[in-house]
Amino acid sequence: MSVDNEMMQGLWQQFFGPNLGYIQEQHEIYSNNPEAVSPQFRELFAQYGAPPRIEAGTSRTLAEQPQQVRGNEKPDSLILKKAIAAGQLAWNIRSFGHLAANIDPLELSFKARADMIEPSTYGLSEADLKQLPPECVWEDSPYAFNNAWEAAQKLREVYTGAIAFEFGHVHSEEERNWLNNQAENVIPTRKLLASERESLLRRLLEAEQFEDFLQKTFVGQKRFSAEGIESLIPLADEIVHELTNDGARSIAIGMAHRGRLNVLAHVLGKPYGNIFSEFHHSPNKNLIPSEGSIGINYGWTGDVKYHLGANRSIQSGQTAETRITLANNPSHLEYVNPVVNGFARAAQEDRSKPGYPVQNLDAAASIVIHGDAAFIGEGIVAETLNFGNLKGYTSGGTIHIIANNRIGFTTESHDSRSTHYASDLAKGFEIPIIHVNADEPEAVIAAARLASEYRTQFKKDFLIDLIGYRRYGHNETDDPETTQPLIYKKVKAHSPVARLYADKLVLEGALTSEGADQIKRDVLNKLKTAYDEVKGKEKKDPVHQAGPTAFNISAPKPVTAVPIEKLRTINANLLKWPDSFKVYGKLQKILERRADALNDGEKVDWGQAETLAFASILADGTPIRLSGQDVERATFAHRNLVLHDPETGATFCPLHALPEANASFAIHNSPLSEAGVLGLEYGYNVYAPETMVIWEAQYGDFANVAQVLIDQFISAGKSKWSQRSGLVMLMPHGFEGQGPEHSSARMERFLQLSGEENWTVAYLSSAAQYFHLLRRQASILNTDEARPLIMMAPKSMIRNPYVASPASQLSEGTFQTVIEQPGLGGNPQRVERLVLCTGKVAIDLADELDKSSDVNRDWLHIARIEQLYPFPQQEVQAIVDRFPNLTEVLWVQEEPKNMGAWSYMEPRIRELVDNAKVEVGYNGRPKRSSPASGYQQIHAFEQQFIINQTLVQKKKSSVKSGR
């Protein structure tokens, strides 16, 4: 629409004083940079030109102002106002159209008010909008509109359809414009081909008939069906297809159990027969529940079928192949999220060269399928979303899908969240969100393509809220009508999506009714054929699972010693930094003290032993990834592997410049997260088993927050899923008067979870031991011997002179599961008490022995159990057998009696001694509910009492001779 110049001059005359000044200022900004003003002003100035200039010092008087009748303004005087209002209407249709969208298949949700998308809210009528050009509402529209009214109606149709778009919280204008363009110009004009529509119907029928077949064939067995959200299958399948086409060679998928069997069958390609076998071989298959299924599952104890993962490789082009992995996931729903991020991160990184690994974000991607109640309810989701833009943890964008069936077991949304949508948490991370009606499969495919393109384009997270319903109860054995009778009245009357879509295709002439029926018959026949094959084998012997492979005690120990000259060369190179780089003065002096630590008569402290271990492991070609809160410096400032120039702020890591290094070294300060970070590190190590992955807790008790990962993944992953890990967990532990929350790493929990030689639990007393244990752990990575290493790391012991070791122990020694106290036990015939202990209390005892070296203690011997699990039975037995007159074995610990290692050690000690002759005793703090005292004086008194009691000989009771 062209605008007459005279009319425009009359329009600008409606503004005077400050208002006109503001309009002039905005036009000045617009003249320099149109993008710097709001879209409404850009549209107005483009259409109406510049406002008139009025010289400073002049103003229009009231008499000079055009006379207007209040409430009866001339239409010409309202054009600018109406145009601005039209721009506001368009903005809010884009921002709030989702509130009126058709995304609720059963209309279960509370209807939100959507006044923000109504013209009347802005004082606009249909007639007003018809006076304005369409560009006031929709610039660059692909449609030919006559006026702003037509544009507004079409824009409303776009934003209130079967896809609801939430992009207003995305701060980047580039991303938001791209997203809005996709919603407005791409999705409405992109239609599925006839072959794609038929394929989509087949996918929906496969998902539907698979669930229906299981329901009828395996009555009463849990399967956590996808019915009500069957569109999840083509959605996930399409995302995999798009990411593969965009170059991803690895795709990691994480999900809870809802719809998992369907995803395994139709996205991962797990054969129907294998799934049926798992049902068919379940013990007491007609009973409830059906836990304990083994079928084709492998492992030692196995897991139920709806927790299992799978791998699949698909061809993408002539030579490329994409590996798809569905991560194993126990019942704690969202805790697999960071594990999957770890998979993707590991797949993206090249660790073959020194320095930080080289990351290629296009090489791998991750998809996480959430439950609606769990997404907003479980904090691990927020921890994982926070990884999105963190350099040490990002994997270049995860595509999130909320499989939204509007209910959590029996709890409805109004009781499970305080937000309007289940997805609202993601807004805080600026993640674009689209809500899509699960009964509109073509819209679902459009959502999949948009999410994939965004991830490829911007390398950021994207969220699809797939809104459907749940056709049966929580686990198909549950009657949902007892708690949701009105909802299930609607569910029973509602046709499945496959039937709705088939009817639509028939109605549009895209498919005949006979053709749709034939597809359904083909799908059902495939299911029946697979089941018949399984049923024909039911008389064969049941599947037997292999037991765990124990540590081979007779196998030669790995060589962990490093020649002294090599150590000295490495040590010298670690103390070099660029000439232009200045090290913080105080720290430089500390580091330079290490230069002579390998000389005769000197000792290597804990921090230096660790750095030398890392350097030698890198020299052997094993990459290392170290992360956790403050690991660059370390909580107790012993590490300092990332140096900071105090003048420029530049950083330098000596291990990155080490000439001997033959692999990458990644070190990352983590966000304030335990569960999320530990999960990611576990996933990274599982996916890259040749990499030494280390997680360090700031304090050992912080591992409490990651207990689910420890219980359900790290301790039992191999037993349940044959999933191997060599993850290292360093958890500062030690009772030093720091109070209840900074003393205990809860050693007792790890010992209680120990079984089937699932990991190594250690509490060391020397720097050399740490050096050798790290190198031993590196040597077993990516082998059948690989197990996690759980280590109670030191605090005050880091700088204790008793912990430091001479260089010869690094260059000639090996890891010892048990260490005997020097200077004791020299006369085995006289030893009556054998003290067994571990970690810090052993150092406290050594210190006290030195202070009282003039006291004769030939009745005493002390042995430190450095490796608690697997328990070094042979080594300890050999020590016990050496003392024929032993009367007492005393376990000494600093932890309360109901904590620490006592409950674990007592039965093992009793197996080693003649209980009729040898007393097995305990010396330590009494049972307590809190790990440690909050008062330094009380702690010191208790600790000294324990030490004194250990080193004081029992008084022998006098026996009368009878004379």
Side-chain angles (χ1 to χ4, degrees), residues 17 41 53 82 93 109 112 148 150 306 345 415 470 483 489 582-583 616 709 745 829 844 847 861 872 944:
F41 277 119
R53 302 296 302 179
K82 299 295 185 184
I93 287 174
S109 295
E150 292 179 6
Y306 40 80
R345 176 80 182 216
D415 286 323
R470 192 183 69 196
T483 49
K489 185 181 291 185
K582 288 184 169 52
V583 180
S616 63
L709 267 302
Q829 299 295 325
D844 292 343
D847 184 31
H861 192 51
Q944 191 60 49

Side-chain angles (χ1 to χ4, degrees), residues 65-142:
Q65 296 172 18
Q67 298 299 309
Q68 298 179 17
V69 180
R70 190 179 294 274
N72 188 27
E73 296 178 341
K74 295 179 182 180
D76 285 352
S77 69
L78 297 176
I79 291 177
L80 183 57
K81 180 180 177 183
K82 299 295 185 184
I84 292 173
Q88 291 176 327
L89 171 64
W91 174 266
N92 285 320
I93 287 174
R94 291 182 172 100
S95 298
F96 299 104
H98 60 86
L99 296 174
N102 174 32
I103 54 174
D104 188 353
L106 295 184
E107 297 184 348
L108 300 177
S109 295
F110 170 77
K111 286 285 185 185
R113 292 188 61 176
D115 295 345
M116 298 292 282
I117 68 171
E118 298 297 338
S120 59
T121 301
Y122 309 93
L124 294 171
S125 66
E126 180 178 343
D128 293 331
L129 289 167
K130 283 182 175 177
Q131 289 183 14
L132 297 173
E135 290 80 8
C136 286
V137 170
W138 192 346
E139 271 190 316
D140 303 322
S141 167

